[in-house]
Amino acid sequence: MKEVPVYLFLGFLESGKTTFIQETMEDPRFESGEKTLLLVCEEGETEFDVSRFAVRNFTVETVMPEDLTSAKLAQIAKEREFDRVVLEWNGMTELNAFFDAMPDGWMIAQVMTFFHAPTFLSYNQNMRQLVYDKIQYADMVVFNRFRETDSQKEFHKIVRAVSRRPDIVYEYEGGRAVYDEIIDPLPFDVEADRIEIEDRDYALFYRDLLEETEKYRGKIVTFKGMVALDKKLKTGTIVIGRHIMTCCEADIAFSGLVCLHASALPLKTRDWVKITARIDLEYHKVYGQKGPVLKATALDFTEPPEQELATFY
């Protein structure tokens, strides 16, 4: 199966993504001799000037998201020969529509997201799910037309509530670009003999554990969580976690960790417990791959946290 790298450019109208793609295609460093498919999935106010492209071997295909199907993309792949895809995605459509239609062999190489800074906070307040959708997979987030009166910390906080992965760039009016250097200290001490996770910090702990599992290997952790039982699991194996709201009520999900214990407690699903455990990295069928497995040294019933739903705020 031929692997085709896909370079995704995301953002709402007037966010600057078309201009950035134009500049990328004009850049001689992007001219590698590869056949490039420029796949446009929206009708923006700025049109591409293909006469200025430094990339010579390219073809442009426009497909609206409502017409984007696996059959359509397979047809394009069959009719046009190309080695890589540059995709401009419609900001008002969630990315799953594209992911569901991706042909076999297509692989995401890079994701860049652009926001128009003067309207970003309004979009985030009124269309939070769409903003979240454009940040969660991003390798870089760029805020165009950033003003001196805008707060980097406020924009930074919104991005980091979704993901700690992307670089953040503030491009000020006039063209000055500033990289985000705000340090995000975790609200708990990973180097402590025992990592104490406060109720309000479970979501941050869970995400950081999954993103940087290796640094937690062998660590001792204490936190409060809800029990989930499954008859398919061996005796002494449970899942402990919390319901986390990443973006909005629609994406609330139970986010738990496999726990091995020797407790005689009559545990039931939805019981609240406080656990102290060692974190190991092992394969488990709950994950379907290697993941963090808690080896409990202490486990006891406890009262639910004041706010049972965990968030990143």
Side-chain angles (χ1 to χ4, degrees), residues 16-66:
K17 62 182 182 296
T18 302
T19 300
F20 190 89
I21 294 173
Q22 176 76 38
E23 293 173 351
T24 299
M25 296 293 283
E26 290 180 13
D27 191 338
R29 293 171 296 180
F30 200 62
E31 170 48 55
S32 60
E34 293 177 296
K35 300 175 182 178
T36 302
L37 171 66
L38 176 53
L39 186 60
V40 181
C41 295
E42 75 169 3
E43 294 179 350
E45 296 181 359
T46 304
E47 295 185 357
F48 292 106
D49 183 356
V50 299
S51 67
R52 300 180 60 179
F53 284 2
V55 175
R56 295 304 175 193
N57 199 345
F58 70 90
T59 183
V60 181
E61 188 80 33
T62 300
V63 182
M64 292 298 100
E66 60 268 22

Side-chain angles (χ1 to χ4, degrees), residues 283-301:
Y283 173 87
H284 199 281
K285 64 181 181 180
V286 168
Y287 302 129
Q289 59 184 8
K290 279 189 174 182
V293 175
L294 305 178
K295 307 289 183 64
T297 57
L299 187 68
D300 204 355
F301 291 122

